[in-house]
């Protein structure tokens, strides 16, 4: 991996930073954030502007270029990678280290008095603009929006913005029509006394209209905005895809509908001018609802007095609570996913043990192959983490030829993978040993398992936030002085983003929304020993009502039901470290895997994988 | 309890709200907050202005008086009491109910255009001023500071501000001299590049100078401020108490000291003008450090560019980590406290069971009597919660003649009490039954006990915040659909405030500081059944290093050691609901009570109480 040579590019960028064709006044610094205009986790190639200008293509990082300097802020996961990928023009700013300045402080320290700092107002979230602008202003500088993206002006071979065909989802998948979702949204708007709602997150647009796309890798979304009024619906989307008869039929674009359900389709690029027109027509006390993570450009289009900002939109919250059709879809998706993994693990055992020819990449590809054989498979839901031995300790590892390691009977293998099916999204991690694990490996695995069970079997009152469950996952590890440095769970979409808000299980947040029956999250504690191995046990679980002996203040209780039904390798368990209750949990879980996945393997005629499943789900016996 | 008649008082207040003698311009509304100028939890009689103007004397509430209205905001604990204590001039604003307006919104709804809202700038914390002022300004009104407190102008028989003698604490109690505390503080100031530190919280002044007072009930503090510079120390304090030779000797007021340790004693009332003088002398980049909870008056005295505000001051954080002398003092105090409680419970058994003549108030008084027999007893550390039967379900109950109930063999008795000794502060809750508890009462008690043990025995990494342990205390209750609606623990001072920051164990906060060895908190889960009974088991526990099998990232682990050593009534425990580990915890705890408290009872010749202790600490036996 050799660094990208950026001398010429930086020269060009510094020229356009002064070019009156693009900037009203010269800017002395230009900020290139990571994201796209929708604050997406996964971005399209045309939005990888920071990677283009710097060479560094990790998932998180912000570049700032001044007349003299070029600096890159990124976090601990990427120090090594950024150092490898960037040339000497760049200074690496290691976030999280004590002496690393913030972007604002650094700007103040290097800029000449009264400088202008430019940024694309569509890429920077409004809250971040506010913070940055305040610090710069107090030091005598100005943060200014630069309408034309300056990277795009010098990126001659910039890929086109993707504009792939859409998938329509009927009621059997979504449970609720887009019309009914609009009705529900409008009732939330009426409750909060707002007249307009601006949909800026791509998964929220997709969910609202029961459409999916493939403009971005892993997330089945498409580039679009929507503006919902009490009597109007505007969808901002480009391309021929809106000519597709199935899409037109789905959105009833050719029908004579009641006017309040008539969708006006407009060009993607016209969102700003349309929003400005909406704002111009507002009377006092009329409000427009936006996420507080929306871009500065769209937020600014609405004068402050008319803005209604919330951290979670009503769509984000509604989307998180899955209805019966979505839940059933998620169940089906997880059954198919489990079939694929039983096939994979059976295949690995046959290949790894005698031959030793399977690499991390081959295993990841094989997993994808088995998944793709399943009905309604669309794509993977994230880049497969296929890691063996010391690579397993790198939490966000993705095998590449330079690091690719061969699976063996001497090392632990960790596979964190998932897929998008038309009926649901999966995300599962299993940790396996194909030889004989050491007592220490088993001990660590068992603590992680105890944590996994503690969350999965937890009973808690309605209204509890997920972050209050995080310590349950760590308690067994903590007892022995161990821990893991990531959260325990994230929300999972229904044939949508594998990471979604507003709920999760993590010590890092306090602002998550309470868990509700119908929400779906992951449960994935782990343990990582640098240079040796990684362990993680991850199921996707559904929040369900719990039966309890008493019912304090009539609040009702909740618990989790695992949707993931893939055996947890009993060879890795030190059964003497489990309580009888934990042992029963494992046996009940395996019994369910055997019944549900066994039946599906049988139906699909996958007899060898079925035999593997039966063997792997033999009950544990605890010696008292 | 009949309401206070406030018609005449309100008329007088409304007159002074327009009187140019007190206000520059007439104010159309006047806010009367609960607190004093130091944001104290317990306030002196002269600071009970809100109670004076309204009659409502609960611990939390804000009164606002306009030309036409008088309104009182308080929370659920006090709805009934406020309704009883206030006359028809007052509207009760029930905080926490959906339709209750905020103070700002209410003001906006009732005030004529362009109104002035007055408040004493010494009583309102700066952060609250900021929030309120913003809302009022955006509605065209102004929040204005009124220098003279308007309540004081009409409160003709207002008690004097207390000015009681001081207690000096030598090194055997404090472990660190006030000089060394100043040195440590200055080094923290240098680290943050601030030149001045303003001490506004009363317990912080007391801690810093190793002095105690009795100006306020329960908290051994005195009215004072301090301003610490890199070479100067100014102590703002009134009264003859500074003539006390012991105090002068302690503070070395008569000695020739290095100038940087010379304390300048100034009048309490001169803090504002002195701070303004400090501010006037500041050069650019010179900063003054204040708590963000300091009053608006003091915060405003420092121009914004010179202010350095933090939620927790370096004194607050240093004070929370007890040194060896303080820890030893706390141990001694808890031993004496346990002796008093063994005496009390032994006495109660003898009185309640055959005679039935003991009321809640008599029991509380008896507890105080036994405590006051112990060495270095100063006063109680809070109002004793002595409650039986249904009164136990009122979490902040304090027995008064109207509610006073007689202890009996048929009801659960809950006693939450504590004291200030010169060597430490105690806070302990025990729940007892003097007859035969029902199976349900035992069941609930045992869940609470399991929660208490789960926290007390928890092992967790260095750097963990207390709020991450809160769910451990609830897990056993949650499993059965039960819960309690308060936090699990608070920081405890060392012969200081029984409630202190910056650490605690509660789901309600996210901003607590990480637990460190030497910190002291309470562990007090409970269960309350409205109209029937209350259960709480509270120990004060010390954070200590834990020995663990492994040591992830060399972070080290922590756990708790109970300082409270009072038997937990085994009669109330359903031993079959305990795990063997929990059962061992109880037996080990009781063994320690027997050894440590037994020896002290023996030494004090309290043989009957010793026999009671021996009986109450018999080991539990769990039938497998």
């Amino acid at each position: 991996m050799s660094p990208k040579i950026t001398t010429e590019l930086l020269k060009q960028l510094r020229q356009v930073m002064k070019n009156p064709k693009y900037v009203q006044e010269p800017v002395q610094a230009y900020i290139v954030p990571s994201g796209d205009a929708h604050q997406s986790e996964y971005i399209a190639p045309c939005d990888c502007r920071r990677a283009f200008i710097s060479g560094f293509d990790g998932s998180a990082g912000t570049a700032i270029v001044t007349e003299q300097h070029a600096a890159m802020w990124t976090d601990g996961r990427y120090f090594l990678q950024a150092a490898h990928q960037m040339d000497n023009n760049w200074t690496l700013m290691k976030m999280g280290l004590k002496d690393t300045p913030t972007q604002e402080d650094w700007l103040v320290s290097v800029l000449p008095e009264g400088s202008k700092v430019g940024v694309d107002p569509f890429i920077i979230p409004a809250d971040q603009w506010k913070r940055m602008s305040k610090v710069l202003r107090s030091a005598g500088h100005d943060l200014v929006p630069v309408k034309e993206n300056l990277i795009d002006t010098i990126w001659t071979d910039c890929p086109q913005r993707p504009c792939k065909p859409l998938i329509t989802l009927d009621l059997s998948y979504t449970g609720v029509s887009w019309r009914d979702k609009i009705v529900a949204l409008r009732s939330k708007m009426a409750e909060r006394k707002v007249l307009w709602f601006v949909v800026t997150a791509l998964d929220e647009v997709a969910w609202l209209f029961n459409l999916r796309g493939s403009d971005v890798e892993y997330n089945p979304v498409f580039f679009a905005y929507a503006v919902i009024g009490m009597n109007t619906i505007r969808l901002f989307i480009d391309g021929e895809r809106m000519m597709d008869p199935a899409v037109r039929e789905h959105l009833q674009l050719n029908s004579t509908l009641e006017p309040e359900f008539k969708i006006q389709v407009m060009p993607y690029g016209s969102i700003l001018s349309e929003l400005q027109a909406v704002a111009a027509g507002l009377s006092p006390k009329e409000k427009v609802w936006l996420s507080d993570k929306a871009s500065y450009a769209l937020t600014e289009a609405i004068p402050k007095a008319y803005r209604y900002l919330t951290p979670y939109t009503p769509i984000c919250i509604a989307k998180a609570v899955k209805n019966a059709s979505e839940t059933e879809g998620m169940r089906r998706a997880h059954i198919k996913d489990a079939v694929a993994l039983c096939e994979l693990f059976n295949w690995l055992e046959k290949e790894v043990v005698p031959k030793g020819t399977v690499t991390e990449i081959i295993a990841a590809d094989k997993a994808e192959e088995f998944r793709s054989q399943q009905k309604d498979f669309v794509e993977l839901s994230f880049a497969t983490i296929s890691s063996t031995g010391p690579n397993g300790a790198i939490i966000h590892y993705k095998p590449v030829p330079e690091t690719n390691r061969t699976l063996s009977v001497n090392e632990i293998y960790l596979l964190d993978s998932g897929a998008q099916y038309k009926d649901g999204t999966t995300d599962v991690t299993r940790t396996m040993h194909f030889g004989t694990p050491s007592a220490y490996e088993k001990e660590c695995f068992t603590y992680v398992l105890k944590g996994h069970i503690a969350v999965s079997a937890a009973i808690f009152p309605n209204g509890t936030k997920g972050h209050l469950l995080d310590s349950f996952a760590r308690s067994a590890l903590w007892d022995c002085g161990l821990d893991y440095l990531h959260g325990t769970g994230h929300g999972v979409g229904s044939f949508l983003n594998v990471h979604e808000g507003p709920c999760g299980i993590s010590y890092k947040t306090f602002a998550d929304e309470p868990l509700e029956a119908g929400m779906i999250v992951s449960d994935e504690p782990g343990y990582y020993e640098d240079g040796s191995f990684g362990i993680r046990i991850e199921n996707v679980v559904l929040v369900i009502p719990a039966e309890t002996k008493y019912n304090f203040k009539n609040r009702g209780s909740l618990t989790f039901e695992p949707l993931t039904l893939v055996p947890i390798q009993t060879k890795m368990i030190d059964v003497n470290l489990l309580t009888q209750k934990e042992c029963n949990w494992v046996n009940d879980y395996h019994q369910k895997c055997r019944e549900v996945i066994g039946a599906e393997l049988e139906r699909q005629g996958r007899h060898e994988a079925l035999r593997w499943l039966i063997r792997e789900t033999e009950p544990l016996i605890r010696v008292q």
Side-chain angles (χ1 to χ4, degrees), chain A:
Chain A
M1 182 151 61
S2 60
K4 177 166 181 168
I5 304 305
T6 60
T7 310
E8 186 51 36
L9 280 177
L10 288 171
K11 200 172 135 195
Q12 289 173 20
L13 177 60
R14 286 171 178 138
Q15 273 161 3
V16 294
M17 282 162 62
K18 290 181 286 196
N19 187 336
K21 196 171 146 195
Y22 303 117
V23 290
Q24 283 190 305
E25 280 185 89
V27 297
Q28 283 71 44
Y30 188 66
I31 305 174
V32 188
S34 263
D36 66 9
H38 306 270
Q39 277 64 56
S40 306
E41 183 186 2
Y42 295 92
I43 58 177
C46 63
D47 286 319
C48 297
R49 299 181 180 94
R50 185 250 303 150
F52 167 76
I53 191 68
S54 69
F56 167 54
D57 66 1
S59 73
T62 298
I64 303 185
V65 176
T66 69
E67 282 153 341
Q68 259 99 48
H69 305 88
M72 174 71 66
W73 280 258
T74 191
D75 63 62
R77 289 174 294 169
Y78 293 117
F79 292 167
L80 218 61
Q81 181 181 336
H84 276 146
Q85 294 183 323
M86 299 192 307
D87 68 11
N88 290 333
N89 289 301
W90 290 86
T91 308
L92 181 56
M93 297 292 190
K94 297 181 174 180
M95 288 165 70
L97 300 198
K98 219 181 121 199
D99 293 333
T100 305
T102 64
Q103 294 161 26
E104 301 90 296
D105 287 349
W106 179 79
L107 279 167
V108 169
S109 74
V110 301
L111 287 179
E113 234 168 274
S115 287
K116 308 254 176 243
V117 178
V119 66
D120 181 341
F122 270 96
I123 306 296
I124 188 168
D127 54 350
Q128 201 177 319
W129 171 287
K130 196 174 163 185
R131 205 175 55 240
M132 212 154 192
S133 157
K134 197 175 160 189
V135 177
L136 290 175
R137 201 173 330 114
S138 78
H141 307 296
D142 260 331
L143 186 61
V144 297
V146 180
K147 273 184 194 147
E148 188 126 10
N149 189 295
L150 296 186
I151 301 296
D152 294 355
T153 66
I154 61 168
W155 193 354
T156 46
D157 57 347
C158 174
Q160 284 251 305
R161 182 161 299 281
C163 198
K164 307 257 182 73
L166 302 179
I167 302 173
T168 61
L169 292 182
D170 65 33
L171 271 183
S172 69
Y173 292 105
T174 66
V176 180
S177 69
W178 63 260
R179 281 180 58 140
D180 287 346
K181 288 181 178 178
I182 295 275
V183 170
L185 173 61
R186 283 182 178 145
S187 109
K188 286 277 167 205
M189 289 161 61
E191 228 172 64
R192 306 286 185 105
K193 297 185 180 124
V194 302
L195 283 189
W196 300 90
F197 181 81
V198 186
V199 197
T200 56
L202 298 184
D203 64 332
E204 296 191 11
V205 181
W207 179 86
L208 182 61
F209 291 103
N210 293 334
L211 291 171
R212 297 295 186 269
S214 54
D215 288 356
V216 174
E217 208 178 1
Y218 306 126
N219 288 346
V221 297
F222 51 92
F223 285 103
Y225 292 102
V227 176
I228 312 301
M230 295 311 277
N231 298 300
T232 57
I233 304 171
R234 290 174 213 178
L235 177 59
F236 299 80
I237 185 168
D238 282 344
E240 285 181 19
R241 50 196 177 185
M242 296 308 287
M243 292 298 107
D244 178 343
V247 172
R248 299 192 70 79
E249 169 67 26
H250 175 83
L251 295 178
Q252 297 180 264
L253 295 181
N254 301 330
S255 327
T256 32
L257 274 177
E258 307 94 297
E260 67 267 34
F261 293 111
K262 189 87 200 154
I263 298 175
Q264 293 168 264
V265 179
M266 298 182 156
Y268 176 71
S270 68
I271 174 74
L272 184 60
S273 55
E274 280 298 318
L275 211 52
Q276 285 163 338
V278 163
L282 293 173
S283 312
K285 302 223 166 181
E286 292 185 350
K287 297 260 185 192
V288 180
W289 195 343
L290 283 144
S291 162
D292 67 1
K293 278 152 216 85
S295 69
Y296 174 73
L298 297 192
T299 309
E300 270 305 292
I302 311 299
K304 215 170 163 181
Y306 299 106
R307 269 180 231 159
Y308 183 76
L309 304 183
T310 55
Y312 299 116
T313 70
I315 297 186
C316 171
I317 293 169
K319 175 166 63 63
V321 182
K322 274 70 177 174
N323 61 42
S325 307
E326 289 171 320
T327 308
E328 279 317 303
M330 286 294 266
R331 274 187 218 285
R332 284 196 305 274
H334 280 83
I335 292 171
K336 293 182 283 188
D337 214 55
V339 166
L341 285 186
C342 289
E343 283 282 12
L344 175 76
F345 291 131
N346 176 53
W347 180 84
L348 282 176
E349 269 187 20
K350 284 192 309 181
E351 297 293 315
V352 171
V353 180
K355 302 184 199 157
T357 52
V358 181
T359 66
E360 294 167 342
I361 294 179
I362 292 174
D365 291 346
K366 198 74 188 175
E368 181 165 4
E369 183 191 321
F370 283 123
R371 282 189 163 107
S372 69
Q373 293 165 3
Q374 294 297 314
K375 188 170 168 245
D376 279 344
F377 171 84
V378 179
E379 60 171 334
L380 297 186
S381 57
F382 59 95
T384 299
I385 300 176
S386 170
S387 56
T388 188
N391 288 341
I394 303 165
I395 295 170
H396 291 96
Y397 180 76
K398 185 195 160 187
V400 289
E402 290 85 348
T403 62
N404 197 16
R405 212 175 158 86
T406 303
L407 277 63
S408 85
V409 293
N410 303 315
E411 290 182 343
I412 288 180
Y413 176 64
L414 184 159
L415 179 75
D416 185 352
S417 62
Q420 299 286 1
Y421 302 89
K422 220 177 140 182
D423 39 13
T425 302
T426 66
D427 180 359
V428 46
T429 309
R430 286 296 179 267
T431 306
M432 318 282 283
H433 203 294
F434 298 108
T436 306
S438 72
Y440 178 60
E441 287 167 338
K442 287 172 68 175
E443 185 186 356
C444 294
F445 183 94
T446 308
Y447 296 146
V448 173
L449 176 62
K450 286 166 86 81
H452 179 93
I453 296 170
V455 170
S456 197
I459 294 173
F460 49 91
N462 254 312
T464 302
K465 292 180 169 194
H467 74 261
L468 292 169
L469 309 180
D470 185 78
S471 300
F472 290 159
R474 298 176 199 274
S475 181
L477 286 161
W478 282 357
D479 277 347
C480 291
L482 304 180
D483 196 8
Y484 54 95
L485 302 181
H486 59 74
T488 301
H490 54 81
V492 178
S494 180
F495 183 28
L496 257 181
N497 298 359
V498 73
H499 300 147
E500 69 168 26
C503 58
I505 302 174
S506 174
Y507 63 96
K508 290 178 200 168
T509 178
F510 199 59
D512 50 330
E513 287 284 310
L515 293 170
E516 272 183 58
M519 284 181 168
I520 292 177
V521 294
S522 69
D523 170 14
E524 46 179 317
Y527 175 67
Y528 310 90
E529 189 125 324
D530 282 349
S532 301
F533 62 83
I535 292 166
R536 185 159 64 248
I537 304 173
E538 175 186 25
N539 280 353
V540 167
V541 296
L542 171 70
V543 182
I544 58 168
E547 292 295 321
T548 53
K549 189 169 177 189
Y550 306 112
N551 186 8
F552 179 64
K553 303 257 178 207
N554 272 313
R555 285 192 300 175
S557 293
L558 300 171
T559 188
F560 298 110
E561 179 199 327
L563 296 177
T564 305
L565 293 173
V566 177
I568 295 164
Q569 197 177 37
T570 49
K571 185 205 279 185
M572 287 291 292
I573 301 174
D574 181 345
V575 71
N576 297 316
L577 295 176
L578 296 183
T579 64
Q580 189 57 52
K581 225 171 138 187
E582 289 163 341
C583 194
N584 295 345
W585 186 95
V586 173
N587 290 341
D588 291 348
Y589 178 73
H590 278 158
Q591 179 61 28
K592 194 168 173 196
C593 291
R594 208 184 253 201
E595 283 169 18
V596 178
I597 309 306
E600 182 64 16
L601 285 167
E602 183 76 51
R603 206 188 58 74
Q604 295 193 16
R606 297 174 183 270
H607 300 295
E608 206 178 306
L610 177 56
R611 277 193 298 277
W612 178 88
L613 172 73
I614 302 288
R615 201 194 68 217
E616 288 292 308
T617 52
E618 280 298 319
L620 292 175
I621 295 159
R622 193 167 154 269
V623 187
Q624 286 280 349

